[in-house]
Amino acid sequence: MILPRFYPIFDSADWIARALPLGVKLVQLRVKDRDPADDIRRARDLCRDAGAILVVNDHWRLALDLGCDWVHLGQEDLDVADLDAIRAGGLRLGLSTHDEAELERALACRPDYIALGPVWPTILKKMKWERQGTEKLTAWKVRIGDIPLIAIGGLTPDRAREAFAAGADVASAVTDITLNPDPEARMREWLAV
């Protein structure tokens, strides 16, 4: 499977509405601080209209109920997710990884992509993992073969080039866009990479 190379992550459908007209074709909705149902519905419709892929973070039951196509789960989410229901419902699955044990667990789940992070230090959230580095991207890509590899954590357009050179198939960004004084211009930079 070939995914678009730029993968922004946003906490609202409003951000997605800003990104899609610029040509973003792969986006994640990561709602943590409120009921996500309305945002998921709106983001689903916006992405379908734009021919873009929406990945719903964590909320796999809602993703199934609302007819979404993709879900992303962290390792903690795997403890409570019903992978059989996710697969039976036709959802494609992306998984986060940070270390060897998590990679083994992810591979056992037969995911549609694997994310590795943080490749560089990140300010998005407090993490127990240190910088993974591009060397780990190279090692992960050798291990996972044809499964798309997502680089996340501290990425910028320049760092995305390094991540691609190291073996990542896709580069993901959050705060590099959302904290930028001109998010649309920054997304255009990303799309150019």
Side-chain angles (χ1 to χ4, degrees), residues 94-95 97 103 106-107 111-116 140 144 147-150:
L95 296 174
T97 63
L103 177 59
L107 288 170
D112 296 287
Y113 75 68
I114 290 177
L116 171 66
W140 250 229
I144 70 174
I147 300 170
L149 177 61
I150 315 289

Side-chain angles (χ1 to χ4, degrees), residues 57-76:
N57 183 286
D58 293 348
H59 300 285
W60 62 271
R61 285 183 185 92
L62 273 173
L64 280 172
D65 292 346
L66 297 175
C68 296
D69 299 317
W70 283 81
V71 66
H72 178 93
L73 299 176
Q75 292 286 316
E76 306 79 27

Side-chain angles (χ1 to χ4, degrees), residues 130-190:
E130 298 295 321
R131 173 189 183 277
Q132 302 287 343
T134 56
E135 307 79 19
K136 201 166 202 180
L137 285 171
T138 303
W140 250 229
K141 190 59 187 171
V142 168
R143 296 268 309 278
I144 70 174
D146 292 338
I147 300 170
L149 177 61
I150 315 289
I152 186 167
L155 272 84
T156 63
D158 286 338
R159 287 176 172 173
R161 289 180 181 91
E162 291 181 55
F164 293 144
D169 299 294
V170 179
S172 188
V174 184
T175 57
D176 186 68
I177 298 164
T178 59
L179 298 182
N180 192 288
D182 189 344
E184 281 78 8
R186 191 59 164 180
M187 283 189 271
R188 285 187 195 96
E189 286 181 55
W190 273 97

